[in-house]
Amino acid sequence: MSSSSSTGTTRKPVYLAVYDTLADWETGHATAQLARAGHPVRTVGPTTEPVTSIGGLRVQPDLALADVRPSDAALLILPGADLWDAGDDLAPFARTARAFLDAGVPVAAICGATAGLAREGLLDDRDHTSAVSFYLAATGYGGGERYVEADAVTDGALVTAGPTEPVAFAREILRLLHVYDDEAVDAWYRLFHDSDAGAYAVLEKAGVL
């Protein structure tokens, strides 16, 4: 599939956080479609030293976290990682998420990254989801009443999802950034989540294929 939406279009970069043990299956749908639509994807590490994903992929970050500014980006994506539950190594990424949200720039967090945001207090007053409610409850956060049993949730500028929902996670991001209209996004989701061949006609009409 190719996307004519990306032709001649340059949009603000999307920052993809990368760190050791990152769950490399969780963000591929989102970043691939964003890149096709004209959003350059820039990887952001703790430093610019290489990191290794949980699947053994070695990633050389484009930027160090200290050099990231919300005004330069369209979105910050935080994938899950074992490190989110193994100490405070990734807490600076949650603090950066706060800076993005305070600046009105969207953040999308999936899997373990939702726990990082919970510890940072960013889910106390926003609807959200994750793997399961008791996973976030174990962080001691104050947002349990805002937990939603759904594949992915958008509240304002924040998207959250659990580890088994990379397609729904991407769907919410595509909607939030207005990459395609709602009909095309719904068709895209049906194609990649449900293998609905009938969605091809809608996507071709929208110029997504």
Side-chain angles (χ1 to χ4, degrees), residues 102-184:
D102 286 348
V105 181
V107 172
I110 186 169
C111 189
T114 61
L117 298 193
R119 295 184 188 98
E120 182 64 20
L122 295 174
L123 304 185
D124 289 354
D125 301 310
R126 294 178 173 91
D127 289 345
H128 60 276
T129 193
S130 184
V132 287
S133 60
F134 57 80
Y135 170 64
L136 292 186
T139 69
Y141 83 130
E145 293 185 354
R146 303 295 296 267
Y147 189 90
V148 180
E149 295 287 354
D151 53 9
V153 171
T154 299
D155 187 332
L158 179 65
V159 174
T160 52
T164 62
E165 298 294 345
V167 181
F169 184 59
R171 177 197 65 206
E172 295 302 300
I173 290 170
L174 297 177
R175 283 178 178 165
L176 183 61
L177 296 189
H178 305 292
V179 173
Y180 308 120
D181 64 30
D182 287 344
E183 183 182 20

Side-chain angles (χ1 to χ4, degrees), residues 185-201:
V185 172
D186 288 343
W188 180 88
Y189 178 78
R190 287 189 286 110
L191 178 61
F192 284 95
H193 188 267
D194 303 325
S195 299
D196 181 357
Y200 274 107

Side-chain angles (χ1 to χ4, degrees), residues 4-205:
S4 60
S5 300
S6 62
T7 303
T9 302
T10 301
R11 299 175 176 177
K12 274 191 172 184
V14 167
Y15 287 164
L16 172 65
V18 295
Y19 20 71
D20 286 332
T21 74
L22 75 94
D24 36 22
W25 68 90
E26 293 177 342
T27 60
H29 283 287
T31 55
Q33 212 61 39
L34 289 167
R36 287 177 182 271
H39 284 285
V41 177
R42 301 286 180 259
T43 52
V44 178
T47 68
T48 55
E49 291 298 309
V51 299
T52 304
S53 76
I54 200 168
L57 299 180
R58 189 171 182 270
V59 181
Q60 178 77 55
D62 296 312
L63 296 166
L65 186 62
D67 297 326
V68 165
R69 301 291 179 267
S71 59
D72 296 334
L75 172 72
L76 173 66
I77 301 177
L78 300 175
D82 290 346
L83 287 181
W84 281 112
D85 298 317
D88 296 327
D89 286 356
L90 299 187
F93 285 91
R95 291 194 290 271
T96 297
R98 177 180 290 281
F100 269 64
L101 293 171
D102 286 348
V105 181
V107 172
I110 186 169
C111 189
T114 61
L117 298 193
R119 295 184 188 98
E120 182 64 20
L122 295 174
L123 304 185
D124 289 354
D125 301 310
R126 294 178 173 91
D127 289 345
H128 60 276
T129 193
S130 184
V132 287
S133 60
F134 57 80
Y135 170 64
L136 292 186
T139 69
Y141 83 130
E145 293 185 354
R146 303 295 296 267
Y147 189 90
V148 180
E149 295 287 354
D151 53 9
V153 171
T154 299
D155 187 332
L158 179 65
V159 174
T160 52
T164 62
E165 298 294 345
V167 181
F169 184 59
R171 177 197 65 206
E172 295 302 300
I173 290 170
L174 297 177
R175 283 178 178 165
L176 183 61
L177 296 189
H178 305 292
V179 173
Y180 308 120
D181 64 30
D182 287 344
E183 183 182 20
V185 172
D186 288 343
W188 180 88
Y189 178 78
R190 287 189 286 110
L191 178 61
F192 284 95
H193 188 267
D194 303 325
S195 299
D196 181 357
Y200 274 107
V202 177
L203 295 173
E204 287 178 344
K205 181 179 179 181

